[in-house]
Amino acid sequence: MIISTGTASGKSLAYLTPAIASCLDGGTVLYLTPTKALAADQLRGLRELRITQVRAACFDGDTPFEERTWVRQHANYVLTNPDMLHRSILPRHAQWSSFFRRLRLVVVDECHGYRGVFGSHVAQILRRLRRACARYNAHPTFLLASATASEPGAFAMRLTGLEMDEVTVDASPKGSTTIALWEPPLTELRGEGGAPVRRTATAEAADLLADLVLADVRTLAFVRSRRGAETVALSARAKLADVAFSISPPFPTPSSTTSSPATSSAATPSSGPSSPSASPSRPSSGANPLDPITTTTPTNPITTPNPTPQTDPTNPTPQTDPTNPTPQADPTNPTSQADPRTADRPIDPATDKHQQFPLHPSEPPNGPLTAHGPLTWALPDDPSHAAELADLPNKIAAYRAGYLAEDRRLLEKALRAGTIMGLATTNALELGVDVSGLDAVLIAGWPGTRASLWQQAGRAGRDGQDALAVLIARDDPLDTYLVHHPQALFGQPVEAIVLDPGNPYVLGPHLCAAAAEIPLTEDDLPIFGTTTSKVLEDLVAQGLLRKRPAGWFWTRRERATDLADIRGGGGAPIQVVESSTGRLLGSVDEPSAHTTVHTGAIYLHQGETFLVEVLDLEAGVALVSSANPDYTTFARDITDISILSTERSHPLGPGTLHFGEVEVTRQVVSYLMRRLQSGEVLGDEPLELPPRTLRTRAVWWTLPASAVAPLAEAGIDLGGAAHAAEHASIGLLPLFATCDRWDIGGVSTELHADTGLLTVFVYDGHEGGAGFAERGYARATDWLTATREAIMSCECERGCPSCIQSPKCGNGNEPLDKRGAIRLLNTLLTPQ
């Protein structure tokens, strides 16, 4: 069974009920989640139920070794993740025999996160789990929970290999969510080819996060990288520190008196709190002067607090703040006018908080300005409130994988309690963690899928209240397309989840792991898919498995599970070592090493930033040193591609669309340095790395000479037009294929050796393919139409990172022809 409904729709209750019933009936439950944070949150919820018969425990990398034996022997509700299932539980299944014999239910939570190559690995792990259960005569029910997904039953069947029923009707009550699409402005900076550079999404997110926290809005900011999350939190804290300093006033002496609410004149009555044209009356109630007052500015709907000048009791003439021409009421002068922004506000009985009212649009701004408008903050009338102002920066923190488990739990608790008002996080808090009570969510950059967008936006308003979600566009073709074409987001079904369990480069290592767990037999082959027999022959030929009459056996001394890097691309790992101490920081799979730990690369590990001093591929080590640069790096490569076989083809306009197997030769030739905050290009440093060969799958289209001749006659650079169309199509494919642009690559040429025609390729960046190019082939017309629209809607003249430039282009984004790309795609999409 798969339950595929929206955020906070009750999916947890739907699987908790049968899970707890299974435990009460003497059975066991295995709960799988993509992240440790979600497992810890689920464990907290289970313990709050106080059902003594449910012995729940997490079994993951944070579990102390002394507790793991107890979990194996006594827990009947085990919460873990695919990584631990792959590396620890299944290889030691005999130690879990008592648990497996009584296994009634397997819960696969947030399963929409299992896509692409990672999802293909998880699919094979679940097949190994089914096989281990059968060894102990257990046949558990698989219950999957997912955010809204297209064709959830078909996806769940591919993931588990089992027939599936699906539940997709969501009748849960929800408040309304306002979605804002936010495009950062262009800056004075210039990038490659003189292209304009936009302000970065992380810089915008930091400003908005600070503004929202000042307005007492509990906010979660999703940032795509660990480093980005840290940067947003640090920048927002710095802005709050500046604001706190600028609005901290000198406090009056005890003998001083200030304006009394009883003598302040009331604001002009309005038609009601919702009136857009008048400020409502605010009766006296002894309001806390630190409570924020909502403001509205023409340029930004997000509101922030702001100081108001105090009255000098020794001077009957009211003091005027030069930034605020409206004087305060003086109790000794009945003719003075009160600023309605500082009048006390009543207590809302529903929330036990001070009511907030919008300002009249004509009211002048006052006080210090933030990046998104003026602040309106009633000054404290008590020195004790100075500590609250000074504590403003501490209301923002960062949250990501790599923190200690106890630190992550403390942050989650502080966010729920309201001690922390703003949290910058990676997608570690996207999946199911209950952080109810949030008012707003900021999403810095397109999260990859509509499902992820709605999942992240759904973190706000989880108690049924109205909420705000802001998608902040990066300087990227897809982000630019979405903010200019909101119809691509709203009213559209979410994507189908793409994975390919039959990929031989994924299946092979898991067959070895399965044989090491329990020798493979002929009866096991259907569990792993139709390509199993052929892959087994290859594994025997490579000496990884030995064929005997009883089946296939793993005969090597090393661990078979080490062959599969389920979150990487496979291959012998490169060890990342700190040169000054010899400390092993981690490892990077060999295919990724050329682009992530090349000499000069910026490498991030658990919040620490390192500079790669040297990459030694022969020794399998990258030496790094601690650093704190103000730039980030992007590897750039040149690519050659040859067609091995064409599986499918069909006409597309005057041209032809193809899908098949290709061989890609890539060589990283340099790396680009961009300033973190501004995106400014600082330099392009050359590298000398050997080429790598990749056998994968691709989608490509060709145009005959008769179709491109008129374009050449019109003076269009055909090579530059094809190159620009390739970059933009790579940027837009994630909208249709549920992938990241870094999962795919491309090649374009005016005359390809294998086709003899103008050809543009887009290929999967993983051995054997991951299903992305195949999805592009199936949605080619929609995909390429969106590509053309993305280029046309960009406001630049000759091309920029928002439309046709790519940060990983090995040719330095030359040649590129924006106008030619539009003409070329128009030709391709013209019906014949």
Side-chain angles (χ1 to χ4, degrees), residues 177 188 471 714:
T177 299
E188 299 293 330
L471 173 62

Side-chain angles (χ1 to χ4, degrees), residues 81 331 496 574:
N81 50 56
I574 302 295

Side-chain angles (χ1 to χ4, degrees), residues 242-406:
D242 291 343
V243 170
F245 177 79
S246 67
I247 66 178
S248 295
F251 291 102
T253 63
S255 61
S256 301
T257 59
T258 57
S259 296
S260 167
T263 57
S264 297
S265 59
T268 304
S270 73
S271 58
S274 61
S275 171
S277 59
S279 180
S281 174
R282 303 178 187 182
S284 171
S285 63
N288 183 347
L290 272 178
D291 282 340
I293 300 172
T294 305
T295 68
T296 304
T297 69
T299 58
N300 183 14
I302 297 175
T303 59
T304 48
N306 184 352
T308 308
Q310 286 187 301
T311 302
D312 182 356
T314 63
N315 183 2
T317 304
Q319 299 297 311
T320 302
D321 184 336
T323 64
N324 179 12
T326 305
Q328 273 195 301
D330 180 2
T332 63
N333 183 2
T335 62
S336 65
Q337 298 297 312
D339 184 352
R341 285 172 289 197
T342 60
D344 293 324
R345 290 157 288 152
I347 296 292
D348 183 349
T351 62
D352 198 31
K353 294 181 178 179
H354 294 284
Q355 292 180 5
Q356 298 184 20
F357 302 105
L359 290 180
H360 190 287
S362 63
E363 289 181 347
N366 67 338
L369 291 175
T370 67
H372 299 102
L375 300 176
T376 324
W377 191 282
L379 289 179
D381 56 3
D382 188 328
S384 65
H385 292 310
E388 295 186 40
L389 287 175
D391 195 50
L392 274 175
N394 295 328
K395 292 185 177 292
I396 289 180
Y399 180 104
R400 56 171 178 73
Y403 284 174
L404 295 176
E406 53 268 29

Side-chain angles (χ1 to χ4, degrees), residues 52-327:
T52 56
Q53 297 95 323
V54 177
R55 300 182 299 277
C58 282
F59 191 86
D60 55 31
D62 292 338
T63 306
F65 283 95
E66 58 271 17
E67 292 183 16
R68 297 188 181 190
T69 301
W70 183 92
V71 175
R72 286 195 297 266
Q73 295 177 354
H74 301 291
N76 58 5
Y77 196 123
V78 174
L79 303 97
T80 187
N81 50 56
D83 308 77
M84 289 297 286
L85 190 60
H86 166 62
R87 291 192 170 274
S88 180
I89 297 176
L90 290 177
R92 298 181 177 89
H93 60 85
Q95 298 177 8
W96 292 82
S97 58
S98 176
F99 180 86
F100 280 130
R101 284 193 181 95
R102 297 178 292 129
L103 187 58
R104 305 280 182 83
L105 183 65
V106 177
V107 178
V108 185
D109 201 4
E110 304 293 354
C111 62
H112 59 276
Y114 301 131
R115 61 178 184 262
V117 174
F118 176 50
S120 302
H121 279 292
V122 174
Q124 294 300 341
I125 292 170
L126 293 179
R127 285 157 173 77
R128 287 163 50 198
L129 172 63
R130 289 170 49 204
R131 184 167 169 265
C133 291
R135 172 68 176 265
Y136 299 100
N137 296 316
H139 301 281
T141 298
F142 281 73
L143 199 161
L144 284 68
S146 167
T148 304
S150 176
E151 303 174 352
F155 157 68
M157 188 181 301
R158 296 190 77 181
L159 186 64
T160 63
L162 297 168
E163 293 290 331
M164 281 282 159
D165 288 329
E166 60 181 40
V167 175
T168 57
V169 177
D170 184 352
S172 58
K174 289 182 173 64
S176 64
T177 299
T178 299
I179 308 290
L181 304 180
W182 188 285
E183 184 175 44
L186 293 170
T187 67
E188 299 293 330
L189 301 172
R190 288 293 180 265
E192 290 182 306
V197 176
R198 291 194 183 278
R199 195 162 187 260
T200 64
T202 51
E204 289 287 293
D207 284 352
L208 290 170
L209 181 59
D211 289 356
L212 287 164
V213 169
L214 277 169
D216 201 30
V217 177
R218 199 175 304 180
T219 306
L220 202 59
F222 285 103
V223 190
R224 289 178 60 90
S225 69
R226 295 179 179 184
R227 178 173 188 150
E230 296 278 8
T231 301
V232 167
L234 287 172
S235 298
R237 287 167 63 94
K239 293 177 189 302
L240 289 185
D242 291 343
V243 170
F245 177 79
S246 67
I247 66 178
S248 295
F251 291 102
T253 63
S255 61
S256 301
T257 59
T258 57
S259 296
S260 167
T263 57
S264 297
S265 59
T268 304
S270 73
S271 58
S274 61
S275 171
S277 59
S279 180
S281 174
R282 303 178 187 182
S284 171
S285 63
N288 183 347
L290 272 178
D291 282 340
I293 300 172
T294 305
T295 68
T296 304
T297 69
T299 58
N300 183 14
I302 297 175
T303 59
T304 48
N306 184 352
T308 308
Q310 286 187 301
T311 302
D312 182 356
T314 63
N315 183 2
T317 304
Q319 299 297 311
T320 302
D321 184 336
T323 64
N324 179 12
T326 305

